[in-house]
Amino acid sequence: MATSYIPPSHLRLKRVYEPAEASDGTCILIDRLWPRGLRKENAALDDWMKDIAPSTELRKWFGHDPSRWPKFQHRYRAELHQHCDILDRIRELAKKKTITLVYSAHDEDHNDAVVLKYVLLSET
């Protein structure tokens, strides 16, 4: 087992509006914008890493349009390579314990958290 190995069970995804669970581990909000209707004092979050989110330009271009999903994934992965320090920080945490990447998108299959998890697990 390589030293950079992250157990897949240590990286979870969850919508910010779902109730917190003990099994969530460390919860990191990965959206650039604070989720609508959620008060900061009511959020069960340990960290907010907004710089790992897609750029404003990419987020607006994507607009959660599934037909743009393949191109979004490609463009977001390219942006992630500009944030190796944050990726490494998340990886180091995930090697030791469960990390839940928290997002606010309604579409659970086509969002930045899905891409980020893939990158964290596959590019170590």
Side-chain angles (χ1 to χ4, degrees):
M1 184 182 319
T3 57
S4 61
Y5 177 76
I6 298 171
S9 63
H10 280 202
L11 272 176
R12 299 179 65 197
L13 304 180
K14 187 175 210 171
R15 287 196 72 229
V16 72
Y17 305 106
E18 294 177 30
E21 300 172 15
S23 62
D24 290 341
T26 300
C27 293
I28 302 170
L29 179 63
I30 59 162
D31 287 349
R32 187 168 303 279
L33 303 174
W34 188 259
R36 288 184 182 174
L38 183 67
R39 296 175 57 110
K40 288 184 181 180
E41 57 271 11
N42 295 339
L45 298 168
D46 298 296
D47 203 346
W48 181 15
M49 296 185 182
K50 57 183 154 185
D51 291 336
I52 200 72
S55 65
T56 300
E57 295 78 19
L58 180 56
R59 178 180 53 82
K60 287 181 177 181
W61 171 83
F62 177 47
H64 298 286
D65 179 350
S67 70
R68 294 183 173 175
W69 177 241
K71 187 71 172 169
F72 171 79
Q73 291 178 81
H74 177 74
R75 291 175 64 184
Y76 182 40
R77 275 192 226 116
E79 286 187 2
L80 285 172
H81 289 290
Q82 299 171 14
H83 300 289
C84 292
D85 55 331
I86 301 172
L87 291 172
D88 289 345
R89 197 165 126 208
I90 296 170
R91 283 185 182 114
E92 285 304 311
L93 290 169
K95 285 183 210 175
K96 302 171 193 160
K97 59 184 173 181
T98 299
I99 303 298
T100 298
L101 303 174
V102 181
Y103 63 94
S104 61
H106 292 284
D107 187 335
E108 295 180 16
D109 298 318
H110 305 98
N111 66 67
D112 55 316
V114 172
V115 178
L116 179 56
K117 179 179 179 181
Y118 174 81
V119 168
L120 289 166
L121 289 174
S122 67
E123 298 180 14
T124 55

